[in-house]
Amino acid sequence: MAATSLFSCSMHTEMLAPKTLKGSDVLCCPKSNFLSMKKSSKLEQMKTILQTDGIHSNALKVERAPYFSVGQKFQLDDVIEAQQFDRDILNAIFEVAQEMESIEKNSPGSQILKGYLMATLFYEPSTRTRLSFESAMKRLGGEVLTTENAREFSSAAKGETLEDTIRTVEGYSDIIVMRHFESGAARRAAVTAGIPIINAGDGPGQHPTQALLDVYTIQREIGKLDSIKVGLVGDLANGRTVRSLAYLLAKYKDVKIYFVAPDVVKMKDDIKEYLTSKGVKWEESADLMEVASECDVVYQTRIQKERFGERVDLYEKARGKYIVNKDVLKVMQTHAVVMHPLPRLDEITVDVDADPRAAYFRQAKNGLYIRMALLKLLLVGW
């Protein structure tokens, strides 16, 4: 169908192909009539990802507005990477997350997503991400279809392609949350699907919902996002969480990022180049104590053994080099916090947990509110 036909059936002028919202008259196109159009549009969007700003996306192009009207369609079809978000939409999502916190605490019988089904398709292990998404869906009255180890216990083990799996699963659900072992898999799924895709981590690529909850946590803990210093510590080469977080921090003013990592897992050049292009100050350091004394946030990560393959020698060389312990706490500022995407091994000692600056379990809880917000926005709008 011609582009003019597509846009004539939408009440909005957004660049993204619209999706039908259940129980809403926001769109006049029935879902079955525009799935093929949506897929075509999404293919164009994903091409734009590779063409704009190096790695920026259109998914992606969000109209700047001082506010978002209740009932308005969410500006994104999918959540694939951190570059999709600008400050306006981040602030609006954080406001919705605060509303979700109120719902979780005061309205346990919420039916906002009654009648919707979410499929969680996880090809890699997960505890917090998968369970928080499932909890988020159920707390809003929705239902969940889940597979915990899709790499082994799905037709992928028989050789089924990701695209065929997505085409099948979208027939059973209204939204898919996917974790995959290959970087770029979420983008492939989004191009294929006619329903929203949320990237819950794609190999060493990105983890955008983790970055959203991380920035939300920093705002709540520190009270601001401009003019802050953040130390990213640990496995920066393989850590998708730190990559996505760096992209989001670049949206804010006067931010400085320190990279503290063993030589074999230093932050990759693409992130450094991106930060430089956005005017974000960054510095590599081998001195965790000095960085901790300067920073508002010490963001620790584990060394990811699963990314080293047979090079166990490199893993052992990196593991244990930088540990956050009570000595690190002593040099940290009183307002500063320690964060971690979890799980941890020995990179944060257990005796740190009792310090009020240990924010990582509060951080994990915030993941519930951010994911409740994203599910609500993607399925029913603002």
Side-chain angles (χ1 to χ4, degrees), residues 12 14 21 26 63 65 67-75 376-377 380-382:
H12 298 291
E14 296 168 349
L21 304 180
V26 172
E63 291 182 353
Y67 62 89
F68 300 100
S69 302
V70 174
Q72 179 184 354
K73 183 180 180 292
F74 189 43
Q75 282 72 12
K376 187 261 185 185
L377 291 170
V380 301
W382 292 102

Side-chain angles (χ1 to χ4, degrees), residues 45 47-58 60-61:
Q45 293 174 25
K47 287 179 181 177
T48 307
I49 290 175
L50 303 177
Q51 296 169 354
T52 346
D53 199 16
I55 42 182
H56 256 159
S57 32
N58 155 60
L60 310 191
K61 231 167 179 187

Side-chain angles (χ1 to χ4, degrees), residues 229-245:
K229 296 180 180 179
V230 179
L232 303 182
V233 186
D235 192 341
L236 307 186
N238 300 306
R240 55 196 172 207
T241 62
V242 289
R243 292 176 59 82
S244 293
L245 179 56

Side-chain angles (χ1 to χ4, degrees), residues 1-218:
M1 184 178 290
T4 52
S5 299
L6 170 61
F7 284 99
S8 65
C9 71
S10 171
M11 294 178 64
H12 298 291
T13 58
E14 296 168 349
M15 295 182 65
L16 302 185
K19 296 184 182 182
T20 303
L21 304 180
K22 281 189 179 180
S24 169
D25 58 359
V26 172
L27 302 176
C28 57
C29 301
K31 182 175 181 180
S32 59
N33 288 346
F34 74 79
L35 282 183
S36 60
M37 295 186 289
K38 172 188 172 292
K39 291 176 183 177
S40 174
S41 175
K42 288 179 80 174
L43 183 58
E44 293 303 315
Q45 293 174 25
M46 293 307 169
K47 287 179 181 177
T48 307
I49 290 175
L50 303 177
Q51 296 169 354
T52 346
D53 199 16
I55 42 182
H56 256 159
S57 32
N58 155 60
L60 310 191
K61 231 167 179 187
V62 178
E63 291 182 353
R64 291 187 176 275
Y67 62 89
F68 300 100
S69 302
V70 174
Q72 179 184 354
K73 183 180 180 292
F74 189 43
Q75 282 72 12
L76 308 179
D77 277 345
D78 312 283
V79 174
I80 304 302
E81 56 184 15
Q83 300 96 295
Q84 290 176 253
F85 303 94
D86 65 14
R87 287 188 63 150
D88 287 339
I89 202 167
L90 286 170
N91 290 338
I93 290 171
F94 295 162
E95 288 183 10
V96 176
Q98 288 183 312
E99 295 171 7
M100 295 300 105
E101 181 173 357
S102 178
I103 287 175
E104 187 257 348
K105 292 178 178 177
N106 304 315
S107 304
S110 174
Q111 297 295 301
I112 292 175
L113 296 184
K114 182 178 181 180
Y116 287 93
L117 278 168
M118 176 186 73
T120 54
L121 195 58
F122 278 61
Y123 292 81
E124 284 190 326
S126 172
T127 300
R128 279 150 296 279
T129 303
R130 184 174 65 87
L131 292 181
S132 64
F133 265 115
E134 293 180 4
S135 175
M137 191 67 177
K138 288 180 175 292
R139 287 181 182 278
L140 292 175
E143 298 293 335
V144 176
L145 305 173
T146 185
T147 175
E148 184 176 357
N149 188 352
R151 191 174 188 176
E152 184 176 351
F153 297 115
S154 77
S155 291
K158 303 175 184 178
E160 182 175 57
T161 66
L162 174 64
E163 286 76 9
D164 283 359
T165 299
I166 293 298
R167 290 188 182 101
T168 300
V169 175
E170 73 172 334
Y172 309 145
S173 57
D174 300 295
I175 188 168
I176 297 173
V177 179
M178 187 183 80
R179 170 168 291 183
H180 203 276
F181 50 88
E182 291 181 355
S183 180
R187 184 178 292 123
R188 288 167 52 200
V191 170
T192 302
I195 62 175
I197 299 291
I198 298 178
N199 180 7
D202 58 342
Q206 286 209 42
H207 196 345
T209 69
Q210 179 70 45
L212 288 171
L213 75 90
D214 290 342
V215 173
Y216 181 64
T217 299
I218 293 172

